[in-house]
Amino acid sequence: MSIEKSPRVERLKERAKHCCCRYCGGELAVRQIIFYTQAEARVELYCDSCEKIEYGVEKSLYASAKALVESMDFNYFPDLAEGEERKQMNIAKVCALTSWQMRYLGLLSDDGFKVPIEITEYGMDECTTIADGDLDELLEEVEQWETSSSLPEK
């Protein structure tokens, strides 16, 4: 079965290049799908690993969502048993939320990010806990540092 050369199919081919499955992070392929209720095949993006029709998410958003779920033990589905499927569903949920927010802010379209992005992993897996009693002392140190490191006035 050959895949037609319509504008929609060309857009899907381009999207498959910069997107991945929001569940497993796998590559997406343009496939003709035949449904029992329709006589004609439809062309869709498809994840062979998950065996799902999947429109996909930007690869960098998937990586970010996966890092968030793993480092923060994010769990949107507390009623489901712990396992790989629940982890995939949580990553997919974070991908959906992040993608929606990026589109809402005008930073993302079907063609990808509208602005260059810079991925930074600084602080992703690190957390500093400060006791209430130590906070005032640290704030004083910051104030002293700011005062001593100020550039001389011209």
Side-chain angles (χ1 to χ4, degrees):
M1 214 183 290
S2 66
I3 297 177
E4 60 191 63
K5 296 270 185 187
S6 72
R8 180 176 180 276
V9 171
E10 293 304 314
R11 281 194 309 272
L12 291 176
K13 286 179 181 179
E14 284 301 311
R15 185 166 178 82
K17 292 177 185 175
H18 60 88
C19 290
C20 66
C21 174
R22 64 186 170 131
Y23 289 93
C24 72
E27 296 293 319
L28 298 175
V30 178
R31 297 273 190 260
Q32 286 187 325
I33 311 286
I34 300 173
F35 296 93
Y36 293 114
T37 58
Q38 296 178 351
E40 294 183 19
R42 283 189 6 213
V43 177
E44 301 289 345
L45 286 175
Y46 185 80
C47 175
D48 288 319
S49 299
C50 292
E51 297 182 342
K52 294 180 182 181
I53 295 172
E54 175 59 47
Y55 193 61
V57 65
E58 296 295 317
K59 291 176 181 178
S60 56
L61 287 182
Y62 176 84
S64 174
K66 184 178 181 193
L68 182 138
V69 168
E70 290 174 349
S71 67
M72 299 187 75
D73 291 327
F74 176 83
N75 184 16
Y76 187 80
F77 305 97
D79 296 338
L80 295 180
E82 188 172 342
E84 189 62 26
E85 184 178 5
R86 183 177 82 177
K87 180 181 173 183
Q88 287 181 343
M89 291 174 65
N90 279 306
I91 293 169
K93 178 56 76 174
V94 173
C95 284
L97 294 170
T98 306
S99 293
W100 183 92
Q101 188 174 28
M102 294 287 170
R103 286 179 187 278
Y104 182 82
L105 294 173
L107 302 173
L108 184 65
S109 72
D110 285 342
D111 299 323
F113 284 98
K114 293 180 177 181
V115 296
I117 61 166
E118 181 180 329
I119 298 173
T120 176
E121 294 183 19
Y122 174 75
M124 293 290 284
D125 296 328
E126 299 175 10
C127 181
T128 303
T129 305
I130 301 171
D132 286 339
D134 296 334
L135 183 60
D136 289 334
E137 183 180 332
L138 287 171
L139 289 174
E140 286 177 20
E141 287 180 28
V142 168
E143 189 175 307
Q144 289 173 2
W145 178 80
E146 286 177 340
T147 304
S148 66
S149 66
S150 297
L151 295 174
E153 293 181 20
K154 295 182 180 180

